[in-house]
Amino acid sequence: GPPGPPGPGYRYAPPPEAPYREPPRAAPPGGSYAEEKPAAYQAFKQQAVRLSSAGAEVGLSNGMCQDRHVKDFLLCFQCWLWRTYGDPERHGSWRLQRLDLSRNTLSDESLCSVLETLKALDLRVGRLLLSGNRLRGTGLAKVTDYIWNCRDPLVELDLSDNEIHGEVGESDGISGLLRCLYNHPSYPMMQEHQKAVPLQLGLGGNYIKD
């Protein structure tokens, strides 16, 4: 005859023959941006991304990424990273040869959003180019925080022509950045034969007194 009703507690345990299902994964960063805004996503891939044997570069400089674009850019960028490199928990941390957002006159707030996203994604960037924007103290602290929490060293950091104020030697953002680089175990970057590679650090065109 037909089986009787399940006993008490049945509803809390799957039947023994139920196939194993992976627990639902969190939505990838950037969500379904490519499906929701396919034209914008394709434009980003064509205009901003350069792929080579050395790795990937993303560049939106000279007014191509302004404050009103930043929220969309970060969603699109994260979606592209996920689709290009897969889940970092399975395939290892994402790496980018260069991220160039220079000469966009981006506000300190916008740059903070970018830097917070880089840190949250544990994205390892080789060259971070942010010159010609409006980076100030809060944004500079975010740069320092990103560097301190990133295991891989930067090769180049360009913060020239921003709105950074301070005097070297005081307890300001510049001194905090320099202390971070001095104390970080990955600096200086070492090549073969224990040859140190100096970080290219651009700070000209700010309000910094020697």
Side-chain angles (χ1 to χ4, degrees):
Y10 173 82
R11 74 182 65 191
Y12 301 109
E17 69 274 10
Y20 172 74
R21 288 189 178 88
E22 284 196 25
R25 300 184 66 80
S32 52
Y33 186 94
E35 287 83 23
E36 291 168 9
K37 298 187 177 180
Y41 183 76
Q42 289 303 318
F44 170 80
K45 285 178 65 177
Q46 291 167 9
Q47 296 173 17
V49 177
R50 287 181 57 191
L51 296 171
S52 71
S53 57
E57 299 182 1
V58 171
L60 284 170
S61 57
N62 297 311
M64 289 179 70
C65 183
Q66 297 177 20
D67 286 328
R68 66 180 185 275
H69 304 138
V70 167
K71 185 178 178 182
D72 241 31
F73 159 68
L74 289 175
L75 287 172
C76 185
F77 182 43
Q78 292 175 78
C79 181
W80 174 80
L81 285 165
W82 185 275
R83 284 172 158 242
T84 304
Y85 298 113
D87 184 346
E89 291 189 7
R90 295 184 178 186
H91 304 291
S93 297
W94 291 332
R95 284 176 168 77
L96 204 62
Q97 286 287 106
R98 185 171 78 154
L99 177 60
D100 184 1
L101 295 175
S102 54
R103 298 179 299 282
N104 284 314
T105 60
L106 288 169
S107 69
D108 195 56
E109 186 179 4
S110 290
L111 293 164
C112 284
S113 297
V114 171
L115 291 155
E116 287 167 359
T117 299
L118 299 184
K119 179 187 169 185
L121 296 175
D122 188 28
L123 178 63
R124 317 291 173 88
V125 179
R127 298 179 186 275
L128 183 57
L129 310 181
L130 301 176
S131 65
N133 289 297
R134 289 177 286 152
L135 186 80
R136 295 187 174 183
T138 306
L140 181 58
K142 296 288 184 186
V143 171
T144 303
D145 192 39
Y146 165 69
I147 292 172
W148 183 249
N149 286 281
C150 184
R151 291 186 181 183
D152 291 5
L154 285 163
V155 178
E156 181 179 3
L157 174 64
D158 190 358
L159 304 177
S160 56
D161 299 318
N162 274 281
E163 297 178 0
I164 302 168
H165 292 253
E167 294 188 25
V168 175
E170 293 190 355
S171 59
D172 59 20
I174 294 294
S175 300
L177 172 64
L178 297 177
R179 276 196 307 274
C180 166
L181 294 168
Y182 180 78
N183 291 309
H184 197 297
S186 295
Y187 294 88
M189 184 171 71
M190 305 301 286
Q191 276 187 335
E192 296 174 36
H193 314 300
Q194 295 299 300
K195 184 179 179 183
V197 179
L199 167 71
Q200 296 178 48
L201 178 59
L203 288 170
N206 285 286
Y207 306 97
I208 303 167
K209 298 176 185 176
D210 295 329

